[in-house]
Amino acid sequence: MEFILLAVTGMVAAIVGSLIGLGGGIVIVPVLIFLGNELNILDGVTPQIAVGTSSLVLVFIGLSSVVSYNKSKQVDWKNGKYFLFGILPGAMIGSYTSSLFTVDSLKLYFGLFIILISFILLIRDKIKPLKIFQNEKYIKPHTDGTGKVHYYGFPPYIGVTGSLLAGFTAGLFGVGGGALMTPMMIILFLMPPSIAVGTSMFLVLFGSISSATGHLLQGNIHFLYAVILIPAAYFGAKLGVKLNRSLDSNTVVFILRMVLLLLGIYMIIDSL
């Protein structure tokens, strides 16, 4: 029974994560905590195990998504490379900081975090892109899969600073960093949403590699659970990419926003 629940969790997390560039950890971590500490279905799930195992699974979600998004040229490799200078060390630092979590403190801070993400999703389409960072010397063209050329850019130090913060949350909460990077790229760096989602999954891949490495060194990965989650997540990510191209993203984001809001409130109340 528990293995079926894990497989379903991996599939759903990957579909949601790859669909809008969040990664999927916002689903995996609370589900592992719930199954392990509330229902006692899973053994040995500490906050660190939940975060570390999620980080490893996100490596494969990111890999699957990047391969698929790259085929339609939705990954901006030129600008994405600057983000790596922030997300890699940030995720490693976050992975070690997560050792401070207790079950209740993880529920509290993770609940606050996903409510923040819900709020970001609420205002993402209502905030007009800011042109403060659009300096001609940083703007570069990117041609998508349809042949359309997009022009945008950002000062490298701003990209590194933002990705450092996103990387820290990746290692701290096991979420990959896409939850913060996607709206940041759309609002601050003027990336088209379709390219921001693909590039975000590229960052989820590398942020999760760094985070998973840190957690592996601390013994925070439950490999049996990961082995069950990974195959379902890998194929779920491919499905999420396909849905990204066919579904009304506004409807998906609205549903996800409400689920995250309710889940965040529940986790905060449960931590008290």
Side-chain angles (χ1 to χ4, degrees):
M1 178 64 178
E2 61 268 30
F3 294 158
I4 294 175
L5 290 174
L6 284 174
V8 171
T9 298
M11 178 71 75
V12 172
I15 291 173
V16 169
S18 60
L19 182 63
I20 56 177
L22 295 185
I26 56 173
V27 175
I28 296 174
V29 172
V31 169
L32 288 179
I33 291 292
F34 184 72
L35 294 178
N37 293 275
E38 301 295 330
L39 300 183
N40 295 316
I41 293 176
L42 302 178
D43 295 325
V45 179
T46 64
Q48 292 73 28
I49 291 292
V51 172
T53 303
S54 174
S55 295
L56 180 59
V57 175
L58 287 179
V59 173
F60 294 89
I61 292 177
L63 176 62
S64 177
S65 300
V66 167
V67 170
S68 298
Y69 278 124
N70 189 54
K71 291 178 181 178
S72 55
K73 297 184 179 179
Q74 289 178 253
V75 181
D76 185 343
W77 301 96
K78 292 180 181 179
N79 282 306
K81 66 185 179 183
Y82 294 112
F83 297 131
L84 295 180
F85 289 102
I87 203 162
L88 290 174
M92 182 64 70
I93 295 170
S95 71
Y96 279 89
T97 306
S98 71
S99 63
L100 302 175
F101 280 137
T102 63
V103 172
D104 286 338
S105 65
L106 176 63
K107 289 178 182 177
L108 174 61
Y109 293 118
F110 198 92
L112 291 170
F113 177 73
I114 59 178
I115 287 176
L116 172 63
I117 298 306
S118 176
F119 178 72
I120 290 175
L121 290 175
L122 172 65
I123 65 173
R124 188 178 76 177
D125 295 329
K126 293 179 172 55
I127 296 180
K128 292 183 179 180
L130 305 177
K131 296 183 178 181
I132 185 173
F133 299 126
Q134 297 305 294
N135 187 309
E136 285 189 8
K137 71 177 182 178
Y138 299 122
I139 293 177
K140 300 176 182 178
H142 178 85
T143 305
D144 63 22
T146 66
K148 184 177 180 180
V149 181
H150 305 273
Y151 294 91
Y152 53 86
F154 53 88
Y157 74 92
I158 296 295
V160 171
T161 301
S163 60
L164 180 67
L165 175 60
F168 181 74
T169 64
L172 186 65
F173 294 121
V175 295
L180 293 181
M181 286 307 301
T182 301
M184 187 185 304
M185 288 186 286
I186 293 172
I187 297 171
L188 296 183
F189 306 147
L190 273 64
M191 278 192 186
S194 60
I195 298 174
V197 169
T199 306
S200 176
M201 295 312 296
F202 159 71
L203 298 174
V204 166
L205 169 60
F206 283 94
S208 297
I209 289 174
S210 179
S211 174
T213 300
H215 284 290
L216 176 63
L217 294 174
Q218 299 173 79
N220 292 342
I221 296 176
H222 197 299
F223 287 100
L224 175 59
Y225 298 159
V227 165
I228 298 166
L229 285 162
I230 287 170
Y234 187 85
F235 290 105
K238 290 186 177 297
L239 179 57
V241 173
K242 290 182 180 179
L243 291 174
N244 174 272
R245 297 167 183 156
S246 59
L247 289 181
D248 178 6
S249 61
N250 290 330
T251 301
V252 175
V253 169
F254 174 77
I255 295 173
L256 178 62
R257 187 173 68 232
M258 297 308 298
V259 171
L260 289 178
L261 180 60
L262 293 174
L263 179 60
I265 293 173
Y266 168 79
M267 293 188 73
I268 292 172
I269 292 175
D270 195 46
S271 71
L272 301 178

